[in-house]
């Protein structure tokens, strides 16, 4: 740890670390399933096991050996594959009972053919099914024993025993390919039965970082002039809204005017005041403008509309005259609306739970199309809200990233932690979504449903063979057919059921989540209106 | 020895006795049916084996329940 590692183009990143020099694009598909290489700059995290594509870079090792992300993922997948789902426990129980009754049947069959069947029905012309061989003068013991053993062999429930674990193993592996880590087989089973998906807001649906969304200059001002002026005033501000304005100006390629703000005064709860080239500049809320006698005029109405959408509006005045307004808000993550839309298509209810104020929360709810919004919920009450949904019969998944989401993640039937979130959330969640892409919630549910579908198919195939073939092996048709199933044929039929289950499971490898299919119709890119608020 | 292990061992012994009784009963029934020695004793061995396998999972929980009172 702490050592500097140099990686050339085409080389694999050996351990986890932080990039300290250089620039490159790294193929992280083996870990996250992302189809495009991810750009890496100084300060970015690089993950051991990923492939450097274009540039050379130097990074400082931060995690090695079993602490690397790749090693932890491998451990998680192995643990998940070794764990038992509730349906597997049921299958094991059924298999146990099944074995008991098969032995009882085998004994009963033996006694029947020994004391009754042989004397009444045995024919020296009896043949072994599907063979040219006859039984000839086989004695009563040999005949009864042959049928009894055939019953035991043909009904071996090994296919029942492997039906669930094989599908679970394939399902967790398939999910891992797409950057979704199920921590246990029970998480897969629970994910397949979900009815309600609850999202945290900040950091999950939104970026959790305010940014400039609207600039409305007064006549005689341009957007660029207004934003550059505001950025100059806020250059040294440490207020999140001020930082958002400075960042907004920088992102738009605007350089602050040469003049520096002088006489900068922060007015708590109101805004800031500064002198710029001899002009008195005010930047702040409506109350600041009212106190300083600035008439906002038609700008007032524009501000109300923006505030209705949950944005925070700041007015700018120069020498007592309004210069315009700037709206700042938290912005939705790229695929939030897409994910919600597809979850609705899957028939799932979507809910957002947040400590933010109702107006902001409802604005977000409208923009992404959520079914319900639970606003002004204290962090400690999030788990209570999840429990309330469960008590109403819902099977709830909680999607979150923060420490304050951990109790709700634990309470939910399935807690899905965003991989870029806090360690506490990842530790608590039942599923980890490695990428910061909410569409993986959809993929996780689809993989879980496909896996459980495969489990049910496997159990059907495992039991149907036994159910159909046991009566034949027991000699039910012997009085008419004069044929008995040989132990070799019984073993072959038993193996066929295992083979069918295995083949059926391997079909899961061909499963592709709907969002990854080439025929998936992606919604046209939409301009996501940003929303205000900063509370988690 | 752990309590549950003792119960399992006891179930094995009781099962052995039950299976032996079943095999004896089989020999008697096969003898009455006029079966030859191979059929009689071979069948008894098979009955003994299956009966022991069957009685074990039945006896173990029953004995555990009795032990708990």
């Amino acid at each position: 740890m702490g050592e500097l590692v140099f990686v050339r183009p085409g080389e694999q990143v050996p351990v986890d670390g932080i990039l300290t020099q250089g620039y490159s694009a790294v193929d992280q598909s083996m870990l996250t399933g992302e189809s495009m290489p991810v750009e890496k700059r100084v300060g970015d995290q690089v993950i051991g096991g990923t492939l450097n594509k274009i540039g050379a870079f130097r990074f400082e090792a931060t995690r090695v050996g079993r602490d690397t992300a790749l090693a932890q993922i491998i451990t998680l997948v192995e643990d998940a594959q070794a764990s038992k789902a509730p349906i597997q426990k049921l299958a094991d129980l059924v298999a146990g009972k099944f074995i008991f009754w098969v032995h009882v049947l085998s004994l009963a069959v033996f006694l029947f053919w020994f004391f009754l069947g042989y004397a009444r029905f045995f024919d020296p012309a009896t043949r072994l099914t599907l063979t040219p061989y006859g039984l000839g003068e086989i004695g009563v013991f040999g005949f009864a024993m042959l049928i009894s053993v055939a019953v035991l062999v043909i009904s071996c429930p090994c296919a029942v025993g492997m039906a669930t674990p094989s599908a679970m193993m394939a399902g967790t592996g398939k999910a891992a390919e797409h950057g979704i880590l199920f921590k246990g087989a029970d998480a897969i089973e629970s994910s397949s039965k979900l009815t309600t998906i609850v999202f945290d807001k900040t950091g999950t649906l939104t970026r959790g970082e305010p940014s400039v969304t609207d600039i409305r200059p007064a006549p005689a001002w341009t957007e660029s002039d207004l934003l550059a002026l505001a950025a100059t005033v806020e250059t040294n501000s440490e207020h999140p809204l001020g930082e958002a304005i400075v960042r907004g100006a920088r992102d738009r390629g605007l350089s602050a005017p040469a003049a520096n703000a002088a006489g900068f005064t922060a007015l708590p709860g109101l805004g800031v005041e500064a002198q710029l080239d001899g002009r008195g500049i005010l930047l702040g809320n409506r109350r600041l403008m009212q106190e300083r006698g600035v008439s906002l005029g038609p700008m007032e109405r524009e501000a109300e509309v923006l505030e209705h959408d949950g944005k925070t509006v700041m007015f700018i005045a120069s020498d007592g005259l309004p210069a315009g307004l700037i709206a700042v808000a938290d912005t939705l993550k790229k695929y939030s609306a897409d994910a919600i839309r597809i979850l609705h298509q899957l028939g799932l209810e979507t809910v957002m739970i947040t400590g933010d104020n109702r107006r902001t929360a409802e604005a977000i709810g409208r923009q992404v199309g959520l079914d319900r919004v639970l606003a002004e919920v204290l962090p400690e009450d999030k788990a209570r809200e999840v429990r309330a949904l469960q008590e109403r019969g819902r099977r709830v998944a909680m999607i979150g990233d923060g420490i304050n989401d951990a109790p709700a993640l634990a309470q939910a039937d399935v807690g899905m932690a965003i991989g870029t979130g806090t360690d506490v959330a990842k530790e608590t969640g039942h599923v980890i979504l490695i990428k910061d892409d909410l569409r993986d919630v959809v993929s996780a549910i689809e993989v879980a449903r496909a896996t459980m579908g495969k489990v049910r198919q496997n159990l059907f195939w495992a039991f149907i063979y036994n159910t159909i073939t046991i009566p034949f092996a027991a000699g039910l048709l012997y009085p008419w057919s004069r044929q008995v199933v040989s132990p070799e044929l019984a073993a072959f039929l038993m193996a066929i059921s295992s083979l069918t289950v295995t083949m059926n499971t391997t079909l899961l490898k061909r499963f592709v989540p709907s969002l990854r299919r080439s025929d998936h119709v992606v919604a046209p890119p939409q301009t996501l209106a940003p929303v205000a608020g900063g509370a988690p | 020895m752990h309590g549950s292990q003792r119960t399992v061992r006891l179930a094995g012994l009781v099962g052995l006795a039950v299976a032996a009784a079943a095999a004896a009963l089989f020999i008697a029934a096969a003898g009455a049916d006029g079966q030859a020695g191979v059929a009689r004793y071979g069948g008894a061995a098979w009955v003994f084996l299956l009966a022991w396998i069957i009685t074990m999972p039945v006896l173990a929980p029953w004995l555990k329940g009795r032990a708990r009172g």
Side-chain angles (χ1 to χ4, degrees), chain A residues 229-347:
Chain A
L229 174 69
T232 306
V233 172
E234 295 279 16
T235 299
N236 298 315
S237 171
E238 291 179 351
H239 193 282
L241 298 180
E243 287 176 345
I245 287 176
V246 173
R247 200 168 44 246
R250 197 172 53 233
D251 292 348
R252 288 166 173 78
L254 297 175
S255 56
N260 282 325
F264 177 92
T265 310
L267 306 166
L270 296 173
V272 295
E273 181 178 20
Q275 292 292 319
L276 191 69
D277 291 336
R279 288 179 294 167
I281 307 295
L282 289 173
L283 172 56
N285 58 20
R286 190 179 280 103
R287 214 175 107 207
L288 174 66
M289 299 298 145
Q290 284 167 353
E291 284 186 7
R292 299 304 173 92
V294 178
S295 172
L296 295 172
M299 220 176 280
E300 181 81 42
R301 177 73 197 124
E302 285 185 78
E304 281 172 12
V305 172
L306 292 167
E307 283 169 344
H308 178 72
D309 287 341
K311 300 173 185 177
T312 303
V313 175
M314 287 177 287
F315 299 92
I316 298 137
S318 173
D319 283 337
L321 294 173
L325 63 82
I326 293 175
V328 172
D330 193 2
T331 46
L332 287 174
K333 282 187 180 172
K334 197 175 176 186
Y335 297 116
S336 296
D338 248 358
I340 301 296
R341 181 176 55 78
I342 302 166
L343 287 171
H344 285 156
Q345 286 172 3
L346 292 175

Side-chain angles (χ1 to χ4, degrees), chain A residues 88-367:
Chain A
Q88 189 175 339
K89 288 172 189 160
L90 180 68
D92 288 350
L93 184 74
V94 171
K97 298 277 182 203
F98 188 77
I99 287 170
F100 172 80
W101 286 109
V102 161
H103 279 85
V104 171
L105 181 68
S106 177
L107 181 61
V109 163
F110 177 78
L111 294 174
F112 171 81
W113 286 106
F114 191 94
F115 289 111
L116 296 173
Y118 184 83
R120 288 192 184 186
F121 303 111
F122 181 72
D123 181 348
T126 298
R127 310 200 81 82
L128 292 170
T129 307
L130 300 178
T131 71
Y133 308 115
L135 292 182
E137 295 302 316
I138 191 170
V140 61
F141 169 61
F143 186 73
M145 182 82 173
L146 184 70
I147 295 178
S148 180
V149 169
V151 168
L152 276 185
V153 172
I154 212 165
S155 56
C156 171
C158 54
V160 177
M162 66 191 284
T164 307
S166 64
M168 288 295 173
M169 200 171 278
T172 48
K174 175 56 69 179
E177 277 177 30
H178 296 288
I180 299 156
L181 300 180
F182 285 96
K183 285 190 185 171
D186 52 345
I188 290 195
E189 187 168 348
S190 300
S191 297
S192 72
K193 296 174 181 169
L194 292 171
T195 59
T196 303
I197 314 295
V198 179
F199 292 91
D200 163 52
K201 182 179 79 72
T202 310
T204 302
L205 283 171
T206 70
R207 293 179 200 278
E209 173 180 278
S211 56
V212 172
T213 61
D214 299 85
I215 304 168
R216 305 282 166 82
W221 286 82
T222 66
E223 284 191 10
S224 301
D225 290 345
L226 188 67
L227 186 58
L229 174 69
T232 306
V233 172
E234 295 279 16
T235 299
N236 298 315
S237 171
E238 291 179 351
H239 193 282
L241 298 180
E243 287 176 345
I245 287 176
V246 173
R247 200 168 44 246
R250 197 172 53 233
D251 292 348
R252 288 166 173 78
L254 297 175
S255 56
N260 282 325
F264 177 92
T265 310
L267 306 166
L270 296 173
V272 295
E273 181 178 20
Q275 292 292 319
L276 191 69
D277 291 336
R279 288 179 294 167
I281 307 295
L282 289 173
L283 172 56
N285 58 20
R286 190 179 280 103
R287 214 175 107 207
L288 174 66
M289 299 298 145
Q290 284 167 353
E291 284 186 7
R292 299 304 173 92
V294 178
S295 172
L296 295 172
M299 220 176 280
E300 181 81 42
R301 177 73 197 124
E302 285 185 78
E304 281 172 12
V305 172
L306 292 167
E307 283 169 344
H308 178 72
D309 287 341
K311 300 173 185 177
T312 303
V313 175
M314 287 177 287
F315 299 92
I316 298 137
S318 173
D319 283 337
L321 294 173
L325 63 82
I326 293 175
V328 172
D330 193 2
T331 46
L332 287 174
K333 282 187 180 172
K334 197 175 176 186
Y335 297 116
S336 296
D338 248 358
I340 301 296
R341 181 176 55 78
I342 302 166
L343 287 171
H344 285 156
Q345 286 172 3
L346 292 175
L348 297 163
E349 180 191 28
T350 55
V351 179
M352 183 181 73
I353 194 164
T354 177
D356 213 341
N357 66 71
R358 181 156 298 282
R359 194 185 62 183
T360 302
E362 285 179 350
I364 293 174
R366 280 196 299 275
Q367 287 177 40

Side-chain angles (χ1 to χ4, degrees), chain B residues 20-51:
Chain B
L25 201 63
F26 179 85
I27 289 171
D33 201 36
Q35 299 296 345
V38 173
R40 211 158 54 216
Y41 297 110
W46 186 237
V47 168
F48 171 80
L49 199 65
L50 288 178

